[in-house]
Amino acid sequence: MCIRDSINAEYMGYISMKREEEAPETTSFVRGFNTKCVHAGVHPDKTTGALVAPICLSSTFLAGSSSGYTYSRCGNPMRKQAEDAIATLEGVKYALASSSGTSAAMLIIHLLKPGDHLIASKDIYCGLIKSFMNMPALENEVSYVDFSNEAELLAAFKPNTKMLWFESPSNPILSVYDIKKITSICKERGVLTTFDNTIPTPLLLNPTELGVDVVLHSGTKFLGGHSDILLGFVCTNHEDLYIRMKEIYPQMGACPSAFDCYLLLRGMKTLPLRVLRAQESAIKLAEYLYKNPQVETIFYPGLESHPGCEIQKKQARGPGAIISFRLKNADVNKTIKFCMSLHLIKFAVSQGNVKSMITVPITWENVPRSREEMAKLGITQNLIRISVGIEDYEDILKDITNAFETLEKAQTAQ
């Protein structure tokens, strides 16, 4: 045996010995959020040593296997890594991954029994309203309330109120609510709180630190970051809630694919880079829109003019990358034409993509309310929502500026 082979054999023997020792989890001593995003949930493969964990596509597992897996509807190695990752980023003990944000919401709703009462913020994501409407257990037992009005909120509680559901900033009006104050009110009454953290992401906000019981995520948005997956998460520190949802979970069949979990883990590694870059551009764009005479109103919690600006500063680590605004003197047709005149910014639903996207909320297909009802909530015909991406700000601004110039020419020609 040559010297090199001898050294290699000794080195590999040492490495093998070290691997057999139970090393602490990488994230157990990690403090920085960027580092957690890179390492959380993912560990080198024990069989091959691969740093990128192999995608487990098997639907079934050998009976009696030491892995503990039996059938992928109940659990899968890739899904477990995704759950561990989001639990680490949210700072919670438990997480469940589902096939979409909506299926994650349905899992939470199933914690309620027939006759239970739910309080939801009046400007909650419209897709959830449709989910509530289609749940027989919640028939006539959902109250939609203005959470910025404390008296109205307090009056909404009933003896059978079991859960309160909200988001902040809300979608698409971006209303900001005092999370700690709301959760304190609920804890005094023994009411569970559910919070949708899709827009802020764990980078900007950890709701459980403010008293929230259950955190919901659409992983399709900022967590994945590339609009190429469908995935949702439920996060909590309550073992009893986790056990109940884990029992319900396999029967719903709303399990994500192993490949989507892989893409989610890949996307989450760059979450801070993407969100902070997009937020930086969003702040600049919001300031531009605020000064633009063709803009009637702008909604962005990073502006001092926003009524929830101080609350956002107090409870979050940034205003985020979503902006909403109203065009001046525009009906829905003019609003749509404005969006369609853009080139770089894509006219599409959803949010959190690396690409900037723009949409007209009143045209969303899953809106269960009339246009009159939507207008009362501030979702008017001239309301636009922008999800700012990571492109160069100068290019985003140029595209927006060109669209305003096109709009002005069209109005002048009339």
Side-chain angles (χ1 to χ4, degrees):
M1 179 183 294
C2 68
I3 294 178
R4 185 186 66 185
D5 291 340
S6 176
I7 292 174
N8 283 344
E10 185 176 341
Y11 171 74
M12 292 308 294
Y14 171 76
I15 293 297
S16 177
M17 178 181 68
K18 294 297 289 181
R19 281 179 179 165
E20 289 176 2
E21 297 176 3
E22 288 296 325
E25 292 288 339
T26 305
T27 51
S28 65
F29 56 86
V30 167
R31 295 293 180 266
F33 190 86
N34 289 273
T35 310
K36 287 179 180 178
C37 284
V38 173
H39 294 279
V42 182
H43 313 290
D45 183 58
K46 292 181 179 180
T47 303
T48 64
L51 293 183
V52 178
I55 302 172
C56 180
L57 297 175
S58 182
S59 62
T60 188
F61 299 84
L62 190 66
S65 170
S66 60
S67 70
Y69 296 105
T70 56
Y71 191 61
S72 274
R73 178 159 53 85
C74 304
N76 178 281
M78 289 305 301
R79 192 186 316 160
K80 179 64 165 61
Q81 290 186 41
E83 291 168 344
D84 288 348
I86 191 63
T88 298
L89 299 190
E90 278 292 5
V92 299
K93 296 177 182 178
Y94 312 105
L96 284 170
S98 66
S99 57
S100 67
T102 299
S103 66
M106 294 299 288
L107 184 61
I108 299 169
I109 293 171
H110 273 80
L111 291 173
L112 299 172
K113 302 186 297 294
D116 287 346
H117 176 241
L118 170 72
I119 299 174
S121 56
K122 67 177 185 177
D123 55 355
I124 199 168
Y125 170 57
C126 55
L128 273 176
I129 297 173
K130 208 164 189 178
S131 296
F132 295 157
M133 290 170 63
N134 290 321
M135 282 293 292
L138 289 176
E139 186 176 4
N140 302 320
E141 287 295 344
V142 182
S143 298
Y144 296 100
V145 179
D146 180 0
F147 278 24
S148 63
N149 186 327
E150 186 175 350
E152 184 178 333
L153 174 60
L154 292 174
F157 284 91
K158 301 179 180 180
N160 61 332
T161 301
K162 300 299 181 183
M163 185 180 290
L164 180 143
W165 198 306
F166 68 121
E167 55 193 51
S168 179
S170 63
N171 180 21
I173 289 296
L174 303 180
S175 298
V176 173
Y177 303 115
D178 191 326
I179 300 170
K180 194 168 186 179
K181 185 176 183 179
I182 291 170
T183 57
S184 295
I185 291 171
C186 290
K187 287 186 187 303
E188 291 173 359
R189 292 159 174 76
V191 173
L192 289 173
T193 49
T194 294
F195 184 88
D196 189 335
N197 202 29
T198 297
I199 290 180
T201 79
L203 173 66
L204 303 181
L205 180 67
N206 293 118
T208 55
E209 294 178 358
L210 299 173
V212 169
D213 296 301
V214 182
V215 177
L216 167 70
H217 277 284
S218 172
T220 308
K221 313 302 192 298
F222 286 100
L223 294 181
H226 296 80
S227 294
D228 54 5
I229 63 170
L230 283 175
L231 210 134
F233 287 106
V234 177
C235 308
T236 186
N237 278 318
H238 298 281
E239 185 178 13
D240 58 332
L241 298 180
Y242 171 72
I243 291 173
R244 285 169 61 190
M245 288 187 288
K246 197 171 183 181
E247 289 175 349
I248 298 167
Y249 179 84
Q251 313 315 317
M252 287 180 60
C255 49
S257 74
F259 191 66
D260 276 3
C261 290
Y262 162 77
L263 289 176
L264 183 282
L265 287 164
R266 190 178 191 184
M268 280 173 55
K269 295 183 194 309
T270 59
L271 176 66
L273 304 177
R274 292 183 285 102
V275 172
L276 292 179
R277 174 56 183 268
Q279 178 179 258
E280 181 183 349
S281 294
I283 292 170
K284 295 177 183 177
L285 184 60
E287 291 171 349
Y288 162 78
L289 291 169
Y290 179 73
K291 298 173 183 177
N292 192 310
Q294 292 173 282
V295 173
E296 179 184 293
T297 316
I298 179 167
F299 307 91
Y300 184 64
L303 291 175
E304 293 294 333
S305 60
H306 191 288
C309 180
E310 292 305 314
I311 297 175
Q312 185 73 6
K313 288 180 181 178
K314 180 180 71 174
Q315 66 188 15
R317 294 177 285 274
I322 305 295
I323 302 170
S324 291
F325 67 96
R326 293 194 186 106
L327 285 178
K328 188 175 287 185
N329 301 322
D331 59 11
V332 67
N333 293 325
K334 287 182 180 179
T335 306
I336 291 172
K337 286 179 181 178
F338 173 85
C339 295
M340 293 183 69
S341 68
L342 294 159
H343 298 284
L344 179 72
I345 302 172
K346 305 305 179 188
F347 189 13
V349 296
S350 198
Q351 57 186 283
N353 195 337
V354 289
K355 297 178 181 178
S356 295
M357 299 187 294
I358 195 165
T359 184
V360 180
I362 204 166
T363 65
W364 292 347
E365 292 181 0
N366 60 353
V367 174
R369 291 166 164 159
S370 67
R371 287 193 174 183
E372 290 73 22
E373 291 174 315
M374 298 291 281
K376 290 179 182 178
L377 296 175
I379 304 173
T380 53
Q381 294 188 35
N382 59 342
L383 182 71
I384 291 172
R385 189 194 71 190
I386 300 179
S387 173
V388 181
I390 66 171
E391 302 96 341
D392 290 316
Y393 172 68
E394 292 74 16
D395 294 328
I396 296 172
L397 180 61
K398 182 64 176 175
D399 201 27
I400 286 284
T401 302
N402 288 341
F404 275 117
E405 289 175 356
T406 302
L407 177 65
E408 185 176 9
K409 289 176 182 177
Q411 290 175 340
T412 303
Q414 289 179 350

